[in-house]
Amino acid sequence: MAGYGHPYVIHAAGLAQAAQAQQQQAEPVRLAHEQQQQQQHYQQQPQQIRPNSPPHHLQAQDALAQAAQLELGQNPNALAIRRPFDPTAHDLEANFRLTRFADLKGRGCKVPQEVLLKLLEGLQDDQGQEEHSTHFMHVPIPRIGIGMDASITPLRHSGLSLVQTTDFFYPLVEDPYMQGKIACANVLSDLYAMGVTECDNMLMLLAVSTKMTEKERDVVIPLIMRGFKDCALEAGTTVTGGQTVMNPWCTIGGVATTICQPNEFIIPDSAVVGDVLVLTKPLGTQVALNAHQWLDQPERWNRIKLVVSEEDVRKAYQRAMDSMARLNRTASRLMHKYNAHAATDVTGFGLLGHAQALARSQKAEVGFVIHNLPVIAKMAAVGKACGNMFQLQQGNSAETSGGLLICLPREQAAAYCKDIQKVEGYQAWIIGIVEKGNRTARIIDKPRVIEVPAKEKDGELW
């Protein structure tokens, strides 16, 4: 969630109801989930690739291009394991780590919500949103700003609106090219959460760490920029400018801008009782990224090595990178087809934090109850072995470039999940339900953890 409206995470402690009430609440979501599973049962056939799918690998013309090569097959599920970034191939030290050029990541980057709201009081408009609404052909065009995934500003011309968002963060992965792709996908995700599938322009925001040597700078920064650019091209847009500065920490992000007609975006405020909650990417990216860094830190690795192998960690890291770099564009496009009522993307404040923010934005008196947590395989066990420091099963673990959390009509949800898997080859999950409530969200006491993927397959990432 970009801009100024990040919610402050509210813990699920104290919100659990009696076991019988939980079972009654879980019944609709269980039935919906079973319907989803039945739909998926009939499509366990080799994934057909659409003719207009962009190629996943680039032509290697020099050392830089070779390092940036995706090395993925046409099928994202087949041999989709990227070769690790090798610093020595670029004459860098073998122990070079991009993540060492910043001290914070995930939720640690965020200003707490109560502090942020106080700081931003001066930006709040004195007049209400309705007073600022623009009309076209007697139809009101909403103005949306602080607190939402993207700002929507009615333009002076012909009923069009400017939709815009910005985001940036510090290095999360060791591969500079993938870091660029993830940063770009993360920026675009705020548009996709609003149902906007076309981006007209992007700007890149980049800070070069003052701690980098000239050699490190000349290798790493072009790779980051190339990854960002390639992801923008995959999204059907281009990078036309931006800002590059020197900074103690390396940062990468951008601005995404588009011009829309009113039917091209979905105001995220129309959830109704009986809707179900769908999540389009698995959780656990922060756990996977930390576990991978701990391979170099014996004192930390010793805490988790009894529940996970080095191979498990490296594969989870690859899965996390693949997930974070994947665009939410298809998920956004299908929101229109299946009549989504509201959506947000799951990022730095975790599943619960963003669910809380979405619930607060609803017009109807509803609440969200989450029963299922799809998690990258083995990462729930890692989280527990760490003494629950990530609070993954409480919904507080940070995600980066996570999936869309969507409120869909119950009768449409299974078909949505089937369609996204048919188009992309990736799963989506029914994770909860919308009930009558006071615009809050919670996770039940003992949510069902869904391991993603459910079974390991040799040579396949998912």
Side-chain angles (χ1 to χ4, degrees), residues 123-173:
L123 288 181
Q124 298 286 352
D125 204 325
D126 293 335
Q127 295 177 290
Q129 179 176 313
E130 291 184 2
E131 297 178 50
H132 273 282
S133 291
T134 299
H135 287 72
F136 178 67
M137 300 294 287
H138 306 292
V139 176
I141 301 175
R143 175 187 294 269
I144 288 177
I146 295 173
M148 307 304 287
D149 286 316
S151 66
I152 299 178
T153 307
L155 299 179
R156 300 184 302 275
H157 312 292
S158 305
L160 298 175
S161 294
L162 175 73
V163 183
Q164 199 166 40
T165 185
T166 184
D167 210 340
F168 66 89
F169 48 68
Y170 312 119
L172 297 156
V173 299

Side-chain angles (χ1 to χ4, degrees), residues 160-420:
L160 298 175
S161 294
L162 175 73
V163 183
Q164 199 166 40
T165 185
T166 184
D167 210 340
F168 66 89
F169 48 68
Y170 312 119
L172 297 156
V173 299
E174 309 302 350
D175 187 325
Y177 177 79
M178 290 301 292
Q179 180 63 53
K181 287 200 72 176
I182 291 165
C184 183
N186 189 64
V187 174
L188 288 165
S189 188
D190 290 318
L191 295 186
Y192 298 146
M194 304 289 286
V196 176
T197 61
E198 305 298 327
C199 178
D200 292 327
N201 181 65
M202 293 197 76
L203 303 176
M204 186 187 303
L205 304 175
L206 181 63
V208 181
S209 173
T210 54
K211 300 174 184 177
M212 287 183 175
T213 66
E214 288 188 8
K215 177 65 176 178
E216 290 170 339
R217 178 199 66 198
D218 293 345
V219 167
V220 168
I221 300 305
L223 283 170
I224 291 176
M225 296 174 73
R226 181 167 185 152
F228 194 99
K229 174 187 173 183
D230 285 351
C231 184
L233 291 173
E234 183 183 343
T237 188
T238 54
V239 181
T240 61
Q243 177 76 308
T244 304
V245 298
M246 300 298 295
N247 192 60
W249 294 355
C250 181
T251 65
I252 176 65
V255 180
T257 304
T258 195
I259 306 295
C260 286
Q261 296 179 344
N263 65 341
E264 292 182 287
F265 54 81
I266 298 172
I267 305 300
D269 62 1
S270 301
V272 298
V273 174
D275 281 354
V276 297
L277 304 174
V278 168
L279 183 65
T280 65
K281 290 184 183 180
L283 307 169
T285 55
Q286 183 191 40
V287 182
L289 297 178
N290 277 271
H292 186 260
Q293 290 185 23
W294 293 349
L295 293 175
D296 293 335
Q297 303 171 32
E299 70 284 358
R300 291 180 178 266
W301 172 246
N302 288 337
R303 296 176 62 183
I304 64 173
K305 67 180 182 180
L306 294 179
V307 298
V308 69
S309 68
E310 288 192 25
E311 181 183 357
D312 290 334
V313 168
R314 296 187 194 282
K315 202 163 188 179
Y317 177 70
Q318 292 281 347
R319 285 169 173 152
M321 281 203 299
D322 179 74
S323 179
M324 292 186 294
R326 177 161 53 96
L327 296 173
N328 281 321
R329 194 180 186 191
T330 298
S332 180
R333 186 178 289 116
L334 292 176
M335 283 167 54
H336 293 270
K337 180 177 179 180
Y338 291 100
N339 192 31
H341 292 153
T344 188
D345 62 331
V346 179
T347 53
F349 281 88
L351 176 63
L352 181 61
H354 292 289
Q356 290 274 9
L358 187 61
R360 283 197 296 269
S361 301
Q362 300 312 302
K363 292 183 292 187
E365 293 183 353
V366 296
F368 300 162
V369 182
I370 296 169
H371 302 82
N372 299 328
L373 299 177
V375 178
I376 295 172
K378 310 292 176 67
M379 293 304 101
V382 171
K384 284 185 178 180
C386 294
N388 204 31
M389 64 178 285
F390 298 105
Q391 297 195 339
L392 179 61
Q393 294 193 40
Q394 287 73 41
N396 297 330
S397 184
E399 305 293 335
T400 298
S401 190
L404 299 187
L405 176 65
I406 309 169
C407 301
L408 284 166
R410 179 178 164 185
E411 64 275 11
Q412 300 270 42
Y416 176 96
C417 295
K418 177 182 177 182
D419 211 350
I420 197 170

